[in-house]
Amino acid sequence: MAKRIILDTDPGIDDSLAILLALASPEISLEGLSVVHGNSSTEQGTSNALSVLELAKASHIPVYHGCELPLVQPSLLAPETHGDHGIGYAKLPAPLNLPQVQKGSDYLIEKIMSSPGEITLVCIGPLTNLALAIRQEPCIVENVKEVFIMGGAIRHEGNTTPLAEFNTYVDPHAAHIVFHSGMPITLTPLDVTYQCIFLKDDLNRLLKIESPITKFISAATRFYMEFHDEYQKIDGCVINDPLTLALTFMPELCDYQELYVDVDLSGGVSMGNTFADFYKMTKKSANMKVALGVRPRDFMELFLERMEKLAESIA
Ligand code: BDR
Ligand code: CA
């Protein structure tokens, strides 16, 4: 049976690619999207989520507007990374659908509690919606099936400060609540995502298919590639979020360690930094499974094949 998935997301260029991968993957059933602030405002991200679903002819999937601000920290958006509208140079028509009336965190609670042990959450933005949901209804901790999180940098340098990854830096307090909640977590940090580079050759392979899907991917990733070239001297772009989604049905793409992981909240230079107790010095039990090794080209081949199929189906 297909895995029942809710995507908590801040679309976002790589978030949009994760939405497309979810739609193109028969192993999972995408039941809904909750949107959070992050790469762009929640309002812009919600509009992007609806437009991407409409582009892929999946407008039946409901989208929920989540939290606009981090729990404690001031807002931090990422127009330099994802463009002023969150999807790089891509231009999608304004969505025909509206978001649902229910708030994102209420939706997470309702879905998890109405199907105990069945819902897998995939969180690919700051963790504000999930942290709020945990505070509001702690019973979701025992009733969620699994949580896959894109976030953190364990042995890797940060991508937002020298020490911190974007999603954990933007709402470190939310990450702290989620990491210590007791939920069964699999973390996909920058240690593995920064090995998954979408190259110009990969884009050219997709562009052999004429489709609104390949046009969208091209316009969105062209901006992302320029960002990676200018700020990080990376040729191509790192597609963090689709890797996290892929692990829900192809866990063998990565190697994992069970670790105790925490996030720094001290407010200094390491605010939002995620660190793991590899040598069990704290004597605390592991609170998550952390992906620390990856087969990047196997992942990319999966991603490209799925995008080709989706593009062929939407001419
Ligand atoms: C994460 O931050 C965002 O820029 C991406 O969408 C991804 O979820 C990577 O640090
Ligand atoms: Ca994201």
Side-chain angles (χ1 to χ4, degrees), residues 8-23:
D8 187 60
T9 173
D10 58 333
I13 295 172
D14 57 336
D15 296 78
S16 303
L17 300 180
I19 296 171
L20 295 178
L21 181 60
L23 296 174

Side-chain angles (χ1 to χ4, degrees), residues 295-313:
R295 281 161 274 288
R297 287 318 294 179
D298 289 356
F299 160 68
M300 206 54 78
E301 192 53 38
L302 167 85
F303 177 73
L304 293 171
E305 275 173 16
R306 299 279 163 110
M307 290 305 104
E308 283 171 338
K309 259 213 179 114
L310 185 69
E312 271 156 7
S313 73

Side-chain angles (χ1 to χ4, degrees), residues 100-291:
Q100 306 296 307
V101 177
Q102 193 179 31
K103 294 301 275 181
S105 52
D106 291 336
Y107 169 66
L108 297 180
I109 295 170
E110 189 194 303
K111 281 297 270 193
I112 294 167
M113 295 310 290
S114 62
S115 298
E118 288 187 19
I119 301 295
T120 296
L121 291 183
V122 181
C123 300
I124 54 177
L127 289 164
T128 321
N129 287 342
L130 181 53
L132 277 177
I134 291 170
R135 282 291 190 257
Q136 203 178 320
E137 179 46 276
C139 291
I140 62 171
V141 168
E142 287 83 49
N143 286 290
V144 73
K145 184 179 166 73
E146 284 173 284
V147 186
F148 289 82
I149 296 173
M150 191 286 122
I154 301 297
R155 289 184 166 127
H156 200 275
E157 62 271 22
N159 63 353
T160 302
T161 73
L163 290 168
E165 179 277 334
F166 182 76
N167 291 336
T168 51
Y169 183 73
V170 168
D171 198 342
H173 300 89
H176 195 270
I177 290 172
V178 174
F179 287 5
H180 298 290
S181 66
M183 282 184 163
I185 295 172
T186 300
L187 189 76
T188 319
L190 299 185
D191 307 62
V192 283
T193 65
Y194 261 64
Q195 296 181 52
C196 297
I197 315 259
F198 180 72
L199 302 167
K200 287 194 184 96
D201 281 354
D202 298 323
L203 178 58
N204 290 336
R205 170 171 157 185
L206 292 182
L207 282 172
K208 291 196 179 120
I209 303 167
E210 271 260 355
S211 157
I213 298 288
T214 49
K215 285 204 180 85
F216 170 75
I217 295 175
S218 168
T221 57
R222 195 158 49 83
F223 186 94
Y224 214 23
M225 287 183 188
E226 286 175 9
F227 163 81
H228 281 83
D229 181 32
E230 187 181 339
Y231 288 82
Q232 301 175 344
K233 297 282 160 276
I234 290 173
D235 197 13
C237 58
V238 179
I239 53 171
N240 311 274
D241 295 340
L243 175 66
T244 305
L245 191 276
L247 296 184
T248 63
F249 61 89
M250 211 173 270
E252 62 274 20
L253 288 171
C254 282
D255 300 317
Y256 308 86
Q257 272 192 58
E258 298 274 350
L259 289 166
Y260 175 76
V261 175
D262 209 342
V263 54
D264 186 275
L265 296 182
S266 59
V269 287
S270 62
M271 183 71 160
N273 173 237
T274 45
F275 50 96
D277 183 6
F278 284 97
Y279 298 133
K280 301 190 173 29
M281 289 177 279
T282 63
K283 313 256 184 295
K284 291 185 176 152
S285 339
N287 56 350
M288 62 183 76
K289 208 163 103 179
V290 185

